Every structure is written in structure tokens, then in C-alpha cells.
Amino acid sequence: MCGIWALFGSDECLSVQCTSAMRIAHRGPDAFRFENVNGFTNCCFGFHRLAIVDQLYGMQPLRIKKFPFLWLCYNGEIYNHRTLSKEFDFDHQTKVDGEILLHLYDRFGIQKMASLLDGVFAFILLDTANRKVFLGRDTYGVRPLFKFLTDDGFLAVCSEAKGLTDITRATASPANIVALLPGHFEAFDLKQSGKVQSVQMEPFHCCTKEPAHAVYDTVERLPTSMKETVKGNIRALFENSVRKRLMAQRRIGCLLSGGLDSSLVAATLVKLAKEEKLQYPIQTFSIGSEDSPDVLAARKVAAHIGSEHHEVNFTAEEGIQVVEEVIYHLETYDITTVRASVGMYLISKYIKEKSESVVIFSGEGSDELTQGYLYFHKAPTPKAAAEDSVRLLKELYLFDVLRADRTTAAHGLELRVPFLDHRLTAYYLSLPEEMRTPKHGVEKHLLRDSFKDLNLIPDEILWRRKEAFSDGMMSVKKSWYVCLQEHLESMVNDDQMEKASKTFPHNPPATKEAYYFRQVFEKHYPGQAEWLSHYWMPRWTNASDPSARTLAIYEPDKDSTLQAS
């Protein structure tokens, strides 16, 4: 996890502009560098470093002797950098995983370079010899990247939008701050003046397609026939996904909510850490009130897998106190995203202050991939469910992936999400539509069935019902979001609600909770409501609230073994 920032063609003095780069300092607490580009006095890079791989040579912008005309600023991890280096016989100057981008770009050009990267990344690549600037972002947008481009060619780029909101520019016309689309790269011509012109914007990978780097992977291409083979393939790809993400020189930990997804990640991580002979036990972290379903389930899983388990006690009051901070870090006002981010923000704060873990594994992406949301039970056809699964994956960068990145980055942690591995997702999405739907009233049936009878996690967890993170943190009697709504009832008056659609014509808030979130967002990011195209809501139901607990199909966990004794 790092923070990257760059300007091309600034009209204002760079020393004034660079104060904006400090707004993302939380992303890289280990070091900071600000560097001008030779020959282009109005172009510069800013970099906040969180040192994970190659402590010695990891500062950026990354430049090597072989390609003095290339400048690279990137945030992410390239898991197959050694494999590709060996395959193409590249001569590396450093041990930095990102150096592979320079070699691949020089050999193959930008499109093939981006498609061969197995990992999560956002990059800014400058080629002064050919006067080009390139931006790129991984398939699911696990790593963020924002930009604005003025009419006269001033380009500003940053990991988070907050690093762009205060940049001064000569033209009065507003420059829209937009997220770079996941799975895309954009190419710009760089003029002698330092200004740029966008010349190409193209996708390099879509989640439904086998990634180009698969041919160099350690797990061979897999058949999609026969049920037992399929389950074995899912396990092999998932284990491979966790294994490749062990690449780190800092301590690894794991978020553990006690749900299926985080439990599978934590159990596989502990298993592989022993096989790879990591010199420390894996720490797992859960958050919730003392009698919450999540805390009780996570305790059970931690005991089963033998992790060093930490429980963070959570009260509604603590959650309410940090809502504004959380919205500032998130840069969104989406209802379910804000609710679920509060717990993740507080647990990340605990990890930063009370543990040595820096690289944090988590279960994001599984619900979208494996049709885990309760509303999938209502899907009219398997085809409709499969299409919605792909829609959710393509929108992850606006919701769960955004939450997971910002809440951990706020505290200088690096997130790793094995369920969003390119090979795993492409394979799972290639399976017959009927195979992926809920079965026997149980969502994610295929995923659960794939890990049956292995004793990897306790059986009652393997078959535990979906519980949203923002719901499961509090007791069954009263959800966290209900506590939040009750508190916010007095913060917004009925008069304001009546005028809500006039005050906020884009995505007008329908509840006092949504209105309050929007107010806080507008306070920090006035006029930027369009960063969120739409609210996250369940499909195929008449739901007016995103919480799973409001759906008719929801039933609280009745398994007595998970209740506090």
C-alpha cells in the first residue's frame, strides 16, 4: 500500500501544489519523496511509501540505469514478477516487484505489459523518450486511482480524490475528478510544455476472461467439466491465490468476521504460513459487541485454526463518533459502504496501534463472485444471477473494494484480497450458470461444497448464513445500523427531508441516515456527489434499505453453539 501523486503541466508553482500530496500521507507512513522531471519543470511525482517488498530500493518514482527515460510511480503488488522475469530473461537492477513493469513495457508496449501483470496495482508511467504518459489500474480496482484533465491539458493524478480537490489551475472551467476505470489503461501524448493530450483509453482485462498471464502460472489450465473436478479446481486456485499473496517482508495478519469468506481465507493462510515456515504465528482480528454473532463465530474459527486471535470490543457510541472521519477517508456517501466501513476502520486502527501486522488479508469479493448476497435467492433465472454477479464485480471499486482499501490505508495497512485473484474469478465465472446459484436455500453453495469434509473450518461456520459485516457486529436483537439510525434521527429534521430531492438532486437521500451521510460528504467534498453513480441496493426485492436483515429471507443465526454461554 502506497500513495502516488503526479502533475503534468502545472501552471502553479510546484512547491505550492505539493501540499495536496500530503493529504494522502496516511497511505505510506514509512517515507515520502517529491521529485521533478528533468526537462519538464512543471511535471512532478509525489510518493508516500509503505515498505513491504525490497526495503532498500523501493523508493519511487522508480528509475533504473537500463531505462533512464522511464519514470514509474505505482501502488500495488505484482505477484508474478519473478515468474515473468525468468520467462523473458530480464536483467533486474532491484528486487522491487514493480520493476517488472519497466521491462515489460520496453519489450511489449503498454497493452501487453498491463495484461501480463498478476496482482493489484495503480500506476503512472512516464516515457520521456517517446513523450508519453500512461495510467493503469487492476481488473477490480483493488488499488485506487483518480485523475483530472483540464481543457488546456493539465493532468493531475492521485491514489485518492482528496489529493486533487485543492490543486490550483489557471483555467476557470471546472475539471472533473474521476476514477480511472478498473481493468483499463489510458495513454497521453506529452507536449514540450508539459501539458498532455489523452489519445487512448482501452481495457486490458475483463473479469470473465482468462488473464493473459495464466499461461505462465504455476497452476495449469483447468477443465470445467465434472462436479468433483470443479470443486478440486476451486480449492487449488483459491489456495494458489492465498499462497502467492504471502509475498511480504512485513508481518501478515487477517481480518476474521467469523463468516464463510474470511474464515476460509484465515484458515488457508494459517495452513500455508506453516508450510512456508513463516517465523511468526498469523494474527487474526475480529470486531463487535461482546454478544455479537460475528465475535462468537470468529472466536470459534480462531480456536479451530490456531491463530493468535485479537478481539476488538465495539460499542455503537464508538462507531457513531468516527462516522465523519470514515466518510472523509472513504470519499463516498453510499449507505451500506459507510455502515460497514465503521467497524473496518476501527479494527484497522487497533491493528496499527496494538499489533505488528501490516499486510492484512480479507474476504472481500467472494459475495460478488459466488452469489453470496441473500437477494440472489430471489433471482428469476440462473442467467440473471450470473449477469448480476458480473455487474457486482465490475462495480466493486465503488463499494466493497473502496471500503476495504480506504479503511485500511487510513491506518497505513496493506490489504490483500485472495477471492479477487484473476485466475480464480475467471474460472468460477466460466462454470455453468446453474452450478453457481444458491442450492437448498443456501447461498454460495458451490463454494461451501468445495471445502466440505476437509476440517479446514468448523462445519457450522462452513454452512453459516450470510451476515453483513455492518449487521453481525452487534447482537441479533439490535443491529449496528439500527443504533446508527436512532442516533441520526435527531440530527436531521423533517423539513430537511421534505426538501432532500431539491437539496441533493443527484442520488437524493431517502432516509435521515442517508441525508446525514450526504451532509458530511458535501462538507468535505462539495459538489462531488457524482463520484457515486448510484446507491448499492439488493435486486429483485422491494427493499428500501441495503441491509440483509431487512430482507424477508433473512433469519438470525439460530445455531446454539454460536450463542454466548
Side-chain angles (χ1 to χ4, degrees):
M1 186 73 69
C2 299
I4 59 177
W5 181 89
L7 303 182
F8 300 93
S10 173
D11 299 304
E12 175 67 81
C13 168
L14 292 178
S15 58
V16 173
Q17 301 280 44
C18 81
T19 55
S20 283
M22 300 318 290
R23 295 188 75 185
I24 58 160
H26 49 270
R27 294 189 72 88
D30 294 334
F32 172 66
R33 179 186 281 176
F34 183 72
E35 192 165 336
N36 288 41
V37 179
N38 312 349
F40 295 92
T41 52
N42 56 0
C43 299
C44 63
F45 288 93
F47 178 67
H48 295 276
R49 185 177 187 212
L50 178 65
I52 301 292
V53 176
D54 195 340
Q55 310 274 1
L56 187 60
Y57 293 106
M59 272 311 278
Q60 296 180 34
L62 181 63
R63 302 179 69 201
I64 57 173
K65 289 172 188 166
K66 192 171 183 183
F67 310 118
F69 50 90
L70 296 182
W71 305 59
L72 173 69
C73 242
Y74 79 102
N75 163 212
E77 302 78 47
I78 312 302
Y79 304 122
N80 63 343
H81 69 110
R82 287 197 188 93
T83 307
L84 293 174
S85 186
K86 206 169 156 188
E87 179 69 32
F88 300 116
D89 199 26
F90 292 142
D91 180 20
H92 277 247
Q93 183 180 313
T94 73
K95 291 179 181 164
V96 179
D97 54 320
E99 187 183 327
I100 194 72
L101 275 77
L102 303 177
H103 296 278
L104 289 170
Y105 168 72
D106 177 69
R107 178 90 52 101
F108 301 117
I110 193 73
Q111 171 96 35
K112 189 168 179 184
M113 177 207 92
S115 67
L116 285 174
L117 301 175
D118 181 6
V120 294
F121 53 85
F123 66 78
I124 308 163
L125 177 63
L126 167 65
D127 177 347
T128 54
N130 294 294
R131 296 250 186 103
K132 292 280 188 189
V133 176
F134 301 98
L135 309 179
R137 191 176 181 192
D138 67 75
T139 305
Y140 297 109
V142 174
R143 293 290 177 262
L145 198 64
F146 289 84
K147 57 162 187 170
F148 76 63
L149 180 62
T150 63
D151 291 342
D152 68 340
F154 170 31
L155 174 68
V157 190
C158 188
S159 293
E160 296 182 19
K162 58 180 68 66
L164 301 177
T165 50
D166 292 341
I167 286 175
T168 52
R169 46 188 183 266
T171 55
S173 61
N176 289 337
I177 298 171
V178 294
L180 185 72
L181 282 174
H184 284 67
F185 73 85
E186 187 168 9
F188 302 83
D189 283 339
L190 177 68
K191 299 168 185 170
Q192 191 55 56
S193 62
K195 304 282 187 185
V196 303
Q197 182 178 1
S198 179
V199 290
Q200 190 184 10
M201 171 80 158
E202 275 188 43
F204 59 83
H205 183 232
C206 167
C207 59
T208 53
K209 293 193 168 61
E210 176 90 311
H213 56 73
V215 291
Y216 310 114
D217 205 351
T218 48
V219 176
E220 316 77 57
R221 287 171 181 263
L222 304 161
T224 54
S225 60
M226 293 165 30
K227 190 78 183 283
E228 286 312 309
T229 312
V230 165
K231 291 192 281 189
N233 291 344
I234 290 168
R235 287 195 301 272
L237 287 170
F238 180 68
E239 192 164 300
N240 183 48
S241 172
V242 175
R243 180 179 276 110
K244 68 177 79 159
R245 283 165 176 75
L246 292 173
M247 181 182 91
Q249 291 170 3
R250 303 287 287 273
R251 185 163 183 169
I252 295 170
C254 188
L255 299 182
L256 179 58
S257 71
L260 173 69
D261 311 325
S262 65
S263 299
L264 286 176
V265 171
T268 307
L269 178 58
V270 168
K271 174 177 171 251
L272 295 180
K274 285 174 187 161
E275 286 178 21
E276 302 288 325
K277 297 188 168 53
L278 258 61
Q279 298 300 298
Y280 51 81
I282 296 294
Q283 295 179 320
T284 50
F285 305 90
S286 72
I287 186 166
S289 61
E290 284 178 14
D291 62 341
S292 77
D294 280 1
V295 164
L296 299 166
R299 196 179 296 163
K300 187 177 258 298
V301 175
H304 185 88
I305 65 177
S307 62
E308 183 192 298
H309 192 54
H310 297 242
E311 289 179 3
V312 182
N313 200 0
F314 171 86
T315 63
E317 291 70 33
E318 283 175 293
I320 287 159
Q321 278 172 7
V322 297
V323 166
E324 181 162 347
E325 272 171 62
V326 166
I327 292 171
Y328 169 76
H329 278 286
L330 291 177
E331 304 172 336
T332 188
Y333 50 91
D334 178 64
I335 303 157
T336 190
T337 304
V338 175
R339 284 177 188 168
S341 294
V342 168
M344 202 159 177
Y345 181 83
L346 289 171
I347 201 168
S348 298
K349 185 171 189 277
Y350 172 92
I351 294 169
K352 172 74 173 172
E353 292 171 358
K354 302 277 172 41
S355 86
E356 294 168 1
S357 293
V358 177
V359 175
I360 306 299
F361 280 63
S362 190
E364 272 72 31
S366 174
D367 285 322
E368 291 75 10
L369 176 65
T370 67
Q371 303 183 17
Y373 294 111
L374 293 187
Y375 76 76
F376 275 99
H377 290 278
K378 305 264 189 186
T381 62
K383 188 176 192 299
E387 286 170 357
D388 205 55
S389 181
V390 171
R391 176 189 70 86
L392 287 170
L393 285 164
K394 287 181 175 176
E395 291 180 357
L396 265 171
Y397 77 104
L398 293 169
F399 303 111
D400 279 23
V401 151
L402 180 149
R403 161 178 59 78
D405 172 83
R406 301 303 194 286
T407 54
T408 50
H411 301 288
L413 304 176
E414 179 180 292
L415 185 82
R416 299 206 172 164
V417 281
F419 275 109
L420 291 176
D421 182 76
H422 302 161
R423 292 285 314 277
L424 174 64
T425 52
Y427 177 75
Y428 203 97
L429 295 172
S430 74
L431 297 171
E433 290 162 354
E434 296 75 20
M435 202 183 268
R436 292 181 272 145
T437 56
K439 301 274 189 300
H440 317 300
V442 180
E443 63 285 348
K444 295 193 270 205
H445 192 276
L446 177 59
L447 179 65
R448 297 174 198 272
D449 209 28
S450 299
F451 288 91
K452 193 175 68 176
D453 301 328
L454 297 177
N455 199 33
L456 187 66
I457 59 175
D459 255 14
E460 65 265 39
I461 304 295
L462 185 62
W463 297 100
R464 185 186 176 207
R465 268 261 127 110
K466 167 74 185 159
E467 180 80 85
F469 185 42
S470 57
D471 297 339
M473 291 194 307
M474 300 290 279
S475 70
V476 174
K477 300 178 207 79
K478 196 170 189 182
S479 192
W480 144 241
Y481 83 89
V482 174
C483 299
L484 185 60
Q485 285 174 330
E486 286 175 0
H487 173 76
L488 297 177
E489 187 66 29
S490 60
M491 307 281 279
V492 178
N493 63 45
D494 295 341
D495 222 24
Q496 288 172 301
M497 284 309 297
E498 271 177 42
K499 297 173 186 157
S501 55
K502 281 187 181 159
T503 313
F504 304 119
H506 178 75
N507 288 337
T511 65
K512 290 187 176 182
E513 177 192 25
Y515 193 103
Y516 176 76
F517 292 169
R518 183 63 168 273
Q519 268 186 322
V520 173
F521 175 85
E522 293 288 344
K523 173 183 163 184
H524 293 288
Y525 306 109
Q528 303 290 0
E530 293 194 2
W531 289 349
L532 178 68
S533 53
H534 61 283
Y535 289 114
W536 193 100
M537 281 286 171
R539 301 286 298 275
W540 309 305
T541 74
N542 296 322
S544 57
D545 189 284
S547 168
R549 286 196 177 180
T550 63
L551 298 183
I553 196 162
Y554 173 78
E555 287 176 26
D557 210 319
K558 294 191 179 73
D559 187 337
S560 60
T561 57
L562 293 182
Q563 303 306 317
S565 50

